[in-house]
Amino acid sequence: MTGSPRRPLHLLFACLFSGSQMAQATPVIPLESQAPADQEPSRLVPILLDPQADEYRDSQVATPLVLRQSRRMRPIPPKSKEARPSFLIADQIEGQSDTSSKAEGTAELRKADTLLFADRITHHNVEDEVEAEGHVRLTQEGVTLSGPYLKLRMADQIGYFDQAEYQIRRMVGSQNNRRSPAPGMAPALPALPPRQSTAYGQAERIHFEGENQFRIENGTYSTCKPGEVDWYAKSSEIKLDYDENRGQARDTSVYFKDIPFLYTPYLDFPLNNQRKSGILAPTFGSSTRTGLDFSIPYYWNIAPNYDATITPRVMAKRGLQLGTELRYLDAFTNTEAQFEYMTRDKELDARRYAYTLRHTQTLGYGFATRINWNGVSDDDYFTDLSNRVVSTSQRQLPKEFTLDYGREWWSASLQTLRYQTLNPGDESAIDNPYFISPRINFNARIPEWHGLDLQAVGQYTRFTHTSLVQGDRTVFYPQISLPYVQPGFYITPKFGVHATHYALSQQLAGQPESLQRTLPIFSLDAGMTFERDMTLGGREWTQTLEPRLYYLNVPYKDQSQFPIFDTGLADFNFGQIFNENRFSGYDRVANANQLTAALTTRLIDPGTGAEQLRAMIGQRYYFADPKVGLPGENLQQNKLSDFLAAFTGQVAPKTYVDVAWQYNFNNSTNERFTIGSRYQPAHGQVISATYRYNRGSSQSLGTMDQIDLAAQWNLSGRWHVVGRYNYAFDSSRLVEGIAGLEYNAGCWAGRFVAQRLESTAGSPNTSLFFQLELNDFGQIGSNPIHMLQRSVPGYSKINELPSGSLLSNE
């Protein structure tokens, strides 16, 4: 077809396809407007013309275009836009509507969410297949490809693209994954929030193998932007499956800054960091206790609700270690098991291992079980092989089994508990606790029975020990209270009888085999709540004032002959001052004739109900001196307890403060003081500072005088600094020191972190972490993320947005 000699004629040809024969199918031909010769012709909106009308022919067309009704197309899959029209636009168009159409010269094909541009486009109507040549560019639902030649069957997305450059953008997340758990099952990991994933590269040929399925021949893959490709994988074949969110590559070399640093014959990687089977990126690092440390984990995604990770680990100073982690989760079960094993530690010339099992099981009919079983081969295992503060400071490893039973108003449990006590550095055995074999707990409560609150607590425990007093302890404590609650205030009197019986099988000289104690306990709890509206900082607030009084009376009984099985002095704080007993455990019941007074004020946003600030003060007045104590405890003969004060809340935009103070007016000394603040103005930027002081009196947890500074901050552009300085003034030592740099390039992130950790015995351990994280592809090096999240309050990954936090397989 040729156009007017004055200017080219732009014709538009549209064919409407559906799954059934179209009645009165009508071609669409827009004619060029009569624009002046010196102006560019405009393409008109398509208009429907009657094929029988005289206007059907264009008088300016030299050769008439023959148009017939479209034949019925083959059925199009439901995911295709089968009822939507195709529009073919070009300088020249020729062909027949029931066979094929050929467009040349600035050709365009539009259908549903597909845009195709080329020098020449041939559309085969029956097959719904297009061929495009010369400067081809395809845009289709987040996919952009360009190259010299394309052949594509549009209905089922089958075809190929030669010498192509591609960019694929997809929203990835759990909702895109077609694999679903079996009935009654739940995923082992939380679902990932949807987010956009980008793939970019070139290929000799890209095969379309169905919707969301791509196969790349002799091409590259990267998640970097075009023009900023810092890293890429070059493979003989790459498969991208956006239904399963996974990629597979063969004969792959990974380049960073155009330097190859990793080769693998086969690679299986996630497109959105979701868990999937395959070899994970190797990790490596170094520490003074292990030397060069290298591991290469294999992740096995067995099913949506259970998986396994097997990790061989090589330490230059120690040897080979094999680690295994298993996880299982369904509607009734939650299991996590970890096991580490070394046939021979070269430093100690000994076999070493560690294991952990955490399991919960709902059995039905009100029954459930819990297991927490831990153990190591020797006392120094964590000190030598771990870089975690929590691990290196562990002294008691529990081995616990619990069977629970619960009904609407009562519950019971059966428990056995043993410990492995660790004494790093060959110290003398200390703090060896009693073994519990078994313990039976009973708890019943009827909260509203004719206005009364009825409750009963019972416990039977058998305590065993290798060198201390052994025996059985039975406790029964029925209670009755009469709550009187009105708007603005409440009063709750309560009365109970605490009965305890001991049957000792191995006792001290002169100690009876049987001991018992029966004590009546009375308490009166009362409080009020006042509110007022106020304006502060230009905002409206609701302020509350909440006074509370708590009176407690427990008669004195000599308990010096009673053994100490599991009882200690409870921490003195705002949670404890309203308790009936200043001891934890049942071996001691403190005498009391005392009144506790406290005052709380809150600042609340009236629109949301969110608490902005909270401040509290409290103190206890003793009408009688305490007479019941633990062996070696120095009982204070004062009328007033220590004074408590606390403050927490947001004091400025993105700034939070927490303060706790315990002051002894009788001795004019600070028993305990803690002040901490955190400033977090943006993602990846946080500064925190905390000072902790504990004088180490009999009512504290031990002497402490420490400062703890931590930060993650943007230095300039893509560089971040991260660090922690935890120093103990009381022992003049650095508890933990961290210093590191992070770099976020958008499609990759690099981290270099050094950690110095004080151990419970021996010299401190220094570890080095280096990690290169390639977004949506893999991680290489030693991972410091978990260590930083534990040590730096508010730490966040610089290459993850807050709304799209990802879970890793590590």
Side-chain angles (χ1 to χ4, degrees), residues 103-108 116-121 132-137:
E104 294 187 6
T106 318
E108 301 179 23
L116 177 62
F117 304 89
D119 295 337
R120 291 172 297 280
I121 297 177
E133 301 175 82
H135 300 93
V136 182
R137 184 170 181 267

Side-chain angles (χ1 to χ4, degrees), residues 202-392:
Q202 297 88 25
E204 288 186 7
R205 173 171 285 188
I206 295 181
H207 294 268
F208 301 85
E209 299 184 338
E211 188 175 5
N212 296 323
Q213 309 290 319
F214 305 91
R215 181 164 58 89
I216 299 168
E217 284 187 15
N218 296 323
T220 63
Y221 171 88
S222 179
T223 58
C224 297
K225 298 178 180 179
E228 302 178 8
V229 183
D230 292 335
W231 74 268
Y232 60 91
K234 187 176 182 180
S235 305
S236 61
E237 182 181 81
I238 303 174
K239 292 183 179 180
L240 302 179
D241 183 346
Y242 284 95
D243 287 326
E244 297 291 337
N245 288 325
R246 63 181 298 184
Q248 295 175 294
R250 300 184 184 277
D251 190 22
T252 302
S253 297
V254 182
Y255 290 75
F256 184 75
K257 297 294 185 180
D258 292 325
I259 299 175
F261 67 94
L262 179 66
Y263 171 80
T264 175
Y266 176 77
L267 184 64
D268 198 342
F269 57 95
L271 297 176
N272 63 344
N273 278 1
Q274 280 186 308
R275 58 198 184 98
K276 62 176 303 301
S277 298
I279 297 176
L280 304 181
T283 65
F284 55 86
S286 177
S287 73
T288 55
R289 292 186 180 273
T290 63
L292 183 64
D293 195 337
F294 175 82
S295 62
I296 180 166
Y298 176 80
Y299 179 76
W300 184 13
N301 188 20
I302 305 171
N305 63 311
Y306 53 99
D307 57 17
T309 305
I310 303 171
T311 308
R313 178 186 180 189
V314 179
M315 294 166 281
K317 291 185 178 181
R318 300 288 177 175
L320 176 64
Q321 179 192 73
L322 182 64
T324 303
E325 180 184 12
L326 302 171
R327 299 186 297 180
Y328 180 85
L329 177 68
D330 64 20
F332 307 102
T333 307
N334 188 351
T335 303
E336 294 185 16
Q338 295 177 333
F339 182 71
E340 297 174 349
Y341 183 79
M342 299 180 66
T343 56
R344 177 178 173 270
D345 186 329
K346 295 188 294 185
E347 289 279 321
L348 301 180
D349 192 21
R351 181 185 62 172
R352 310 188 77 179
Y353 60 84
Y355 59 85
T356 295
L357 173 62
R358 295 183 178 90
H359 171 81
T360 60
Q361 176 82 46
T362 301
L363 303 175
Y365 301 100
F367 287 96
T369 61
R370 290 177 287 125
I371 298 176
N372 183 16
W373 212 265
N374 305 269
V376 293
S377 57
D378 55 88
D379 292 345
D380 298 301
Y381 185 89
F382 292 125
T383 303
D384 292 341
L385 303 178
S386 178
N387 62 353
R388 297 179 56 185
V389 176
V390 175
S391 297
T392 58

